[in-house]
């Protein structure tokens, strides 16, 4: 779980080792005040680049965060960008898949 207080893109956690893991599936819950969002993402890498798709997006109002991914320092990272500088809480559950 991370709490964001700015609308700046930030890596969620430290990422997963690209030598060990090929892909990861996240289920995200995002809350800001009385607005809530739940979304799933799947991410995969080829050793150089990471590719992400988001789906099953359900929300009580507007979009609360956007997701991207990259490969940096031997890790595949998920990048979260809240849509507002208002305190946003992002939690997730995930499954990693080995190479």
């Amino acid at each position: 779980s991370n709490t964001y207080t700015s609308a700046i893109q930030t890596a969620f956690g430290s990422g997963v080792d690209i030598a060990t893991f090929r892909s990861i599936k996240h289920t995200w819950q995002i809350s800001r005040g009385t607005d809530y969002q739940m979304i799933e993402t799947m991410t995969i890498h080829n050793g150089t680049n990471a590719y992400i798709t988001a789906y099953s997006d359900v929300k009580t109002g507007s979009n609360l965060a956007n997701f991207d991914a990259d490969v940096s320092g031997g890790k595949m990272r998920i990048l979260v960008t809240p849509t507002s500088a208002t305190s946003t809480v992002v939690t997730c559950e995930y499954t990693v898949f080995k190479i």
Side-chain angles (χ1 to χ4, degrees), residues 2-96:
N2 285 354
T3 300
Y4 298 87
T5 55
S6 67
I8 298 172
Q9 186 179 66
T10 307
F12 188 92
S14 60
V16 296
D17 183 17
I18 63 171
T20 305
F21 301 103
R22 176 69 61 206
S23 57
I24 188 167
K25 178 182 177 180
H26 285 89
T27 301
W28 302 91
Q29 179 178 279
I30 308 148
S31 60
R32 180 184 311 131
T34 59
D35 291 325
Y36 305 96
Q37 181 176 9
M38 187 167 190
I39 188 169
E40 292 184 314
T41 60
M42 290 192 301
T43 312
I44 194 166
H45 71 86
N46 63 6
T48 304
N49 298 302
Y51 305 89
I52 189 168
T53 189
Y55 59 98
S56 298
D57 186 6
V58 94
K59 50 195 165 233
T60 61
S62 61
N63 193 44
L64 300 180
N66 296 303
F67 297 88
D68 203 353
D70 72 0
V71 173
S72 177
K75 304 276 187 176
M76 180 170 64
R77 306 181 309 162
I78 306 300
L79 308 171
V80 178
T81 308
T83 57
S84 169
T86 302
S87 183
T88 303
V89 178
V90 180
T91 59
C92 77
E93 291 187 0
Y94 61 91
T95 303
V96 291

